[in-house]
mmCIF file of all heavy atoms in Angstrom:
data_model
loop_
_atom_site.group_PDB
_atom_site.id
_atom_site.type_symbol
_atom_site.label_atom_id
_atom_site.label_comp_id
_atom_site.label_asym_id
_atom_site.label_seq_id
_atom_site.Cartn_x
_atom_site.Cartn_y
_atom_site.Cartn_z
ATOM 1 N N PHE X 184 152.360 -133.250 -137.111
ATOM 2 C CA PHE X 184 152.473 -133.584 -138.532
ATOM 3 C C PHE X 184 152.480 -132.333 -139.400
ATOM 4 O O PHE X 184 153.277 -132.214 -140.331
ATOM 5 C CB PHE X 184 151.315 -134.500 -138.929
ATOM 6 C CG PHE X 184 151.320 -134.893 -140.381
ATOM 7 C CD1 PHE X 184 152.259 -135.768 -140.873
ATOM 8 C CD2 PHE X 184 150.364 -134.386 -141.255
ATOM 9 C CE1 PHE X 184 152.269 -136.133 -142.201
ATOM 10 C CE2 PHE X 184 150.361 -134.747 -142.587
ATOM 11 C CZ PHE X 184 151.317 -135.615 -143.062
ATOM 12 N N PHE X 185 151.595 -131.388 -139.094
ATOM 13 C CA PHE X 185 151.522 -130.150 -139.870
ATOM 14 C C PHE X 185 152.412 -129.088 -139.222
ATOM 15 O O PHE X 185 152.444 -128.966 -137.994
ATOM 16 C CB PHE X 185 150.087 -129.642 -139.954
ATOM 17 C CG PHE X 185 149.139 -130.587 -140.629
ATOM 18 C CD1 PHE X 185 148.240 -131.346 -139.896
ATOM 19 C CD2 PHE X 185 149.162 -130.740 -142.007
ATOM 20 C CE1 PHE X 185 147.373 -132.221 -140.512
ATOM 21 C CE2 PHE X 185 148.299 -131.617 -142.629
ATOM 22 C CZ PHE X 185 147.404 -132.362 -141.886
ATOM 23 N N SER X 186 153.100 -128.328 -140.066
ATOM 24 C CA SER X 186 153.997 -127.283 -139.556
ATOM 25 C C SER X 186 153.483 -125.875 -139.825
ATOM 26 O O SER X 186 153.988 -124.926 -139.226
ATOM 27 C CB SER X 186 155.390 -127.445 -140.178
ATOM 28 O OG SER X 186 155.319 -127.361 -141.600
ATOM 29 N N ASP X 187 152.503 -125.720 -140.696
ATOM 30 C CA ASP X 187 151.973 -124.401 -141.033
ATOM 31 C C ASP X 187 151.060 -123.902 -139.914
ATOM 32 O O ASP X 187 150.060 -124.543 -139.573
ATOM 33 C CB ASP X 187 151.204 -124.470 -142.354
ATOM 34 C CG ASP X 187 150.798 -123.094 -142.854
ATOM 35 O OD1 ASP X 187 149.786 -122.568 -142.357
ATOM 36 O OD2 ASP X 187 151.489 -122.551 -143.728
ATOM 37 N N ALA X 188 151.392 -122.748 -139.329
ATOM 38 C CA ALA X 188 150.635 -122.225 -138.177
ATOM 39 C C ALA X 188 149.199 -121.884 -138.553
ATOM 40 O O ALA X 188 148.271 -122.107 -137.759
ATOM 41 C CB ALA X 188 151.342 -121.005 -137.604
ATOM 42 N N LEU X 300 145.451 -126.385 -148.827
ATOM 43 C CA LEU X 300 146.469 -126.491 -149.873
ATOM 44 C C LEU X 300 145.902 -126.075 -151.226
ATOM 45 O O LEU X 300 146.596 -125.451 -152.033
ATOM 46 C CB LEU X 300 146.996 -127.925 -149.939
ATOM 47 C CG LEU X 300 147.806 -128.410 -148.731
ATOM 48 C CD1 LEU X 300 148.107 -129.897 -148.855
ATOM 49 C CD2 LEU X 300 149.092 -127.616 -148.588
ATOM 50 N N LEU X 303 146.051 -122.367 -151.411
ATOM 51 C CA LEU X 303 147.404 -121.897 -151.729
ATOM 52 C C LEU X 303 147.706 -122.091 -153.212
ATOM 53 O O LEU X 303 148.316 -121.224 -153.854
ATOM 54 C CB LEU X 303 148.429 -122.645 -150.879
ATOM 55 C CG LEU X 303 148.364 -122.442 -149.364
ATOM 56 C CD1 LEU X 303 149.484 -123.218 -148.683
ATOM 57 C CD2 LEU X 303 148.439 -120.969 -149.002
ATOM 58 N N VAL X 388 154.298 -116.844 -150.641
ATOM 59 C CA VAL X 388 155.142 -118.033 -150.726
ATOM 60 C C VAL X 388 154.541 -118.974 -151.758
ATOM 61 O O VAL X 388 153.440 -119.481 -151.553
ATOM 62 C CB VAL X 388 155.249 -118.745 -149.362
ATOM 63 C CG1 VAL X 388 156.119 -119.995 -149.484
ATOM 64 C CG2 VAL X 388 155.802 -117.799 -148.316
ATOM 65 N N PRO X 389 155.221 -119.224 -152.870
ATOM 66 C CA PRO X 389 154.675 -120.142 -153.875
ATOM 67 C C PRO X 389 154.504 -121.532 -153.287
ATOM 68 O O PRO X 389 155.273 -121.976 -152.425
ATOM 69 C CB PRO X 389 155.732 -120.122 -154.981
ATOM 70 C CG PRO X 389 156.498 -118.859 -154.766
ATOM 71 C CD PRO X 389 156.487 -118.627 -153.288
ATOM 72 N N LEU X 390 153.498 -122.227 -153.794
ATOM 73 C CA LEU X 390 153.224 -123.572 -153.293
ATOM 74 C C LEU X 390 154.389 -124.506 -153.573
ATOM 75 O O LEU X 390 154.637 -125.439 -152.793
ATOM 76 C CB LEU X 390 151.949 -124.108 -153.953
ATOM 77 C CG LEU X 390 151.419 -125.440 -153.424
ATOM 78 C CD1 LEU X 390 150.905 -125.282 -152.004
ATOM 79 C CD2 LEU X 390 150.318 -125.961 -154.328
ATOM 80 N N VAL X 391 155.110 -124.281 -154.643
ATOM 81 C CA VAL X 391 156.212 -125.165 -154.996
ATOM 82 C C VAL X 391 157.324 -125.113 -153.956
ATOM 83 O O VAL X 391 158.140 -126.027 -153.852
ATOM 84 C CB VAL X 391 156.761 -124.803 -156.395
ATOM 85 C CG1 VAL X 391 157.514 -123.477 -156.356
ATOM 86 C CG2 VAL X 391 157.617 -125.926 -156.961
ATOM 87 N N GLN X 392 157.369 -124.057 -153.149
ATOM 88 C CA GLN X 392 158.391 -123.924 -152.117
ATOM 89 C C GLN X 392 157.875 -124.309 -150.728
ATOM 90 O O GLN X 392 158.620 -124.240 -149.751
ATOM 91 C CB GLN X 392 158.925 -122.484 -152.087
ATOM 92 C CG GLN X 392 159.579 -122.037 -153.384
ATOM 93 C CD GLN X 392 160.038 -120.591 -153.333
ATOM 94 O OE1 GLN X 392 160.009 -119.957 -152.279
ATOM 95 N NE2 GLN X 392 160.469 -120.071 -154.467
ATOM 96 N N ALA X 393 156.621 -124.677 -150.627
ATOM 97 C CA ALA X 393 156.033 -124.950 -149.315
ATOM 98 C C ALA X 393 156.503 -126.301 -148.787
ATOM 99 O O ALA X 393 156.552 -127.291 -149.514
ATOM 100 C CB ALA X 393 154.506 -124.931 -149.415
ATOM 101 N N GLN X 394 156.856 -126.340 -147.506
ATOM 102 C CA GLN X 394 157.199 -127.571 -146.796
ATOM 103 C C GLN X 394 156.309 -127.617 -145.562
ATOM 104 O O GLN X 394 156.614 -127.038 -144.541
ATOM 105 C CB GLN X 394 158.679 -127.590 -146.417
ATOM 106 C CG GLN X 394 159.638 -127.545 -147.595
ATOM 107 C CD GLN X 394 159.565 -128.815 -148.436
ATOM 108 O OE1 GLN X 394 159.213 -129.884 -147.925
ATOM 109 N NE2 GLN X 394 159.906 -128.701 -149.719
ATOM 110 N N LEU X 395 155.200 -128.322 -145.676
ATOM 111 C CA LEU X 395 154.158 -128.202 -144.665
ATOM 112 C C LEU X 395 154.040 -129.410 -143.742
ATOM 113 O O LEU X 395 153.494 -129.292 -142.666
ATOM 114 C CB LEU X 395 152.805 -127.982 -145.355
ATOM 115 C CG LEU X 395 152.715 -126.758 -146.251
ATOM 116 C CD1 LEU X 395 151.362 -126.708 -146.928
ATOM 117 C CD2 LEU X 395 152.953 -125.496 -145.461
ATOM 118 N N MET X 396 154.552 -130.569 -144.135
ATOM 119 C CA MET X 396 154.239 -131.782 -143.382
ATOM 120 C C MET X 396 155.470 -132.642 -143.173
ATOM 121 O O MET X 396 156.419 -132.592 -143.960
ATOM 122 C CB MET X 396 153.169 -132.599 -144.117
ATOM 123 C CG MET X 396 151.800 -131.965 -144.104
ATOM 124 S SD MET X 396 150.819 -132.400 -145.539
ATOM 125 C CE MET X 396 151.612 -131.405 -146.807
ATOM 126 N N ALA X 397 155.421 -133.422 -142.098
ATOM 127 C CA ALA X 397 156.473 -134.391 -141.831
ATOM 128 C C ALA X 397 156.183 -135.674 -142.582
ATOM 129 O O ALA X 397 155.048 -135.949 -142.960
ATOM 130 C CB ALA X 397 156.563 -134.665 -140.329
ATOM 131 N N LEU X 522 157.136 -134.111 -160.716
ATOM 132 C CA LEU X 522 157.286 -132.688 -160.422
ATOM 133 C C LEU X 522 158.637 -132.169 -160.894
ATOM 134 O O LEU X 522 158.724 -131.057 -161.457
ATOM 135 C CB LEU X 522 157.128 -132.449 -158.924
ATOM 136 C CG LEU X 522 157.272 -130.997 -158.445
ATOM 137 C CD1 LEU X 522 156.200 -130.120 -159.090
ATOM 138 C CD2 LEU X 522 157.202 -130.911 -156.930
ATOM 139 N N ARG X 571 152.513 -130.038 -157.837
ATOM 140 C CA ARG X 571 152.971 -129.790 -156.475
ATOM 141 C C ARG X 571 151.807 -129.913 -155.483
ATOM 142 O O ARG X 571 151.961 -130.480 -154.394
ATOM 143 C CB ARG X 571 153.604 -128.403 -156.386
ATOM 144 C CG ARG X 571 154.048 -127.986 -154.987
ATOM 145 C CD ARG X 571 155.014 -128.973 -154.375
ATOM 146 N NE ARG X 571 155.522 -128.524 -153.096
ATOM 147 C CZ ARG X 571 156.155 -129.299 -152.217
ATOM 148 N NH1 ARG X 571 156.335 -130.578 -152.483
ATOM 149 N NH2 ARG X 571 156.588 -128.813 -151.075
ATOM 150 N N GLN X 574 151.169 -133.515 -154.952
ATOM 151 C CA GLN X 574 152.210 -134.111 -154.113
ATOM 152 C C GLN X 574 151.956 -133.826 -152.637
ATOM 153 O O GLN X 574 152.040 -134.726 -151.791
ATOM 154 C CB GLN X 574 153.581 -133.581 -154.531
ATOM 155 C CG GLN X 574 154.738 -134.244 -153.784
ATOM 156 C CD GLN X 574 156.062 -133.595 -154.103
ATOM 157 O OE1 GLN X 574 156.163 -132.365 -154.162
ATOM 158 N NE2 GLN X 574 157.098 -134.408 -154.319
ATOM 159 N N LEU X 575 151.638 -132.570 -152.308
ATOM 160 C CA LEU X 575 151.378 -132.232 -150.911
ATOM 161 C C LEU X 575 150.110 -132.905 -150.404
ATOM 162 O O LEU X 575 150.055 -133.395 -149.264
ATOM 163 C CB LEU X 575 151.271 -130.709 -150.759
ATOM 164 C CG LEU X 575 152.568 -129.924 -150.998
ATOM 165 C CD1 LEU X 575 152.287 -128.428 -150.970
ATOM 166 C CD2 LEU X 575 153.620 -130.282 -149.956
ATOM 167 N N GLN X 578 150.656 -136.447 -149.380
ATOM 168 C CA GLN X 578 151.202 -136.620 -148.037
ATOM 169 C C GLN X 578 150.081 -136.626 -146.999
ATOM 170 O O GLN X 578 150.086 -137.434 -146.063
ATOM 171 C CB GLN X 578 152.194 -135.500 -147.731
ATOM 172 C CG GLN X 578 153.508 -135.572 -148.502
ATOM 173 C CD GLN X 578 154.448 -134.448 -148.112
ATOM 174 O OE1 GLN X 578 154.542 -133.425 -148.782
ATOM 175 N NE2 GLN X 578 155.139 -134.635 -147.006
#
Side-chain angles (χ1 to χ4, degrees):
F184 179 71
F185 299 104
S186 59
D187 188 279
L300 293 173
L303 296 182
V388 179
L390 187 68
V391 71
Q392 299 177 8
Q394 298 293 333
L395 301 177
M396 290 151 286
L522 179 61
R571 176 56 175 165
Q574 185 186 43
L575 293 174
Q578 289 182 262

